[in-house]
Amino acid sequence: MRIVIQRVLSASCSVEGNPVSHIGIGLLVFVGVENTDTEKDIETAARKISGIRIFRGDNGKMTLSVGDIGGSIMLISNFTLCADCSHGRRPEFISAAKADKAEDYYEKLYIALSRSVPTVKGVFGGDMRISAENFGPVTVYLDTARL
């Protein structure tokens, strides 16, 4: 799984002008499922996302997780994170999982995250509009194949 995590003060998702989800302070998480991902990647991703310490503690350093601050997570499916841009100017998506596997893993990741942190999601495969008020900004990239 390829994952981009943004620390936000707030984030919202809408489809065709209709609100789908919203969070206050927390993490906006974009996830792309690759065809080589396994069930182990889901648990690895959930553990890393919910536990990543990118919020400042009393000492001014990033020592707190989203759960520590009482924040939430917004999970958004984004197969374009699986893009291969090494050839030419048009991205290839050969490593992206097929829609049925990607949706299954996305839903399982949502469930796994929801066990420890309040989590909302977008619409899998939807033409979503995402708004975010970045906090920092702090943006972190994770690849479960490297964890």
Side-chain angles (χ1 to χ4, degrees):
M1 290 180 166
R2 294 183 182 183
I3 301 162
V4 172
I5 302 169
Q6 294 182 327
R7 187 176 73 180
V8 297
L9 290 174
S10 65
S12 62
C13 172
S14 63
V15 175
E16 297 179 5
N18 298 313
V20 172
S21 55
H22 178 273
I23 61 168
I25 192 166
L27 302 175
L28 173 57
V29 178
F30 297 95
V31 61
V33 179
E34 295 184 285
N35 55 27
T36 56
D37 288 337
T38 67
E39 298 269 341
K40 181 180 175 191
D41 290 286
I42 297 166
E43 291 304 319
T44 299
R47 187 175 59 255
K48 281 291 188 177
I49 293 165
S50 63
I52 194 165
R53 298 184 310 166
I54 59 174
F55 291 90
R56 287 192 174 87
D58 292 337
N59 61 4
K61 296 185 181 191
M62 290 192 276
T63 58
L64 302 175
S65 70
V66 66
D68 294 333
I69 63 145
S72 303
I73 295 172
M74 178 180 286
L75 184 66
I76 303 294
S77 62
N78 189 340
F79 83 96
T80 62
L81 288 173
C82 301
D84 177 355
C85 297
S86 61
H87 305 290
R89 296 180 295 167
R90 183 171 176 257
E92 295 178 347
F93 300 99
I94 296 167
S95 71
K98 301 289 185 212
D100 57 339
K101 176 180 178 178
E103 184 172 17
D104 180 49
Y105 277 38
Y106 170 71
E107 292 295 333
K108 287 178 178 176
L109 179 57
Y110 167 74
I111 291 166
L113 288 169
S114 297
R115 287 187 202 121
S116 59
V117 179
T119 304
V120 299
K121 60 184 176 174
V123 176
F124 183 87
D127 187 10
M128 296 174 278
R129 301 293 184 261
I130 309 299
S131 297
E133 184 178 1
N134 287 315
F135 180 24
V138 173
T139 303
V140 177
Y141 173 74
L142 300 175
D143 186 337
T144 57
R146 298 173 137 183
L147 300 177

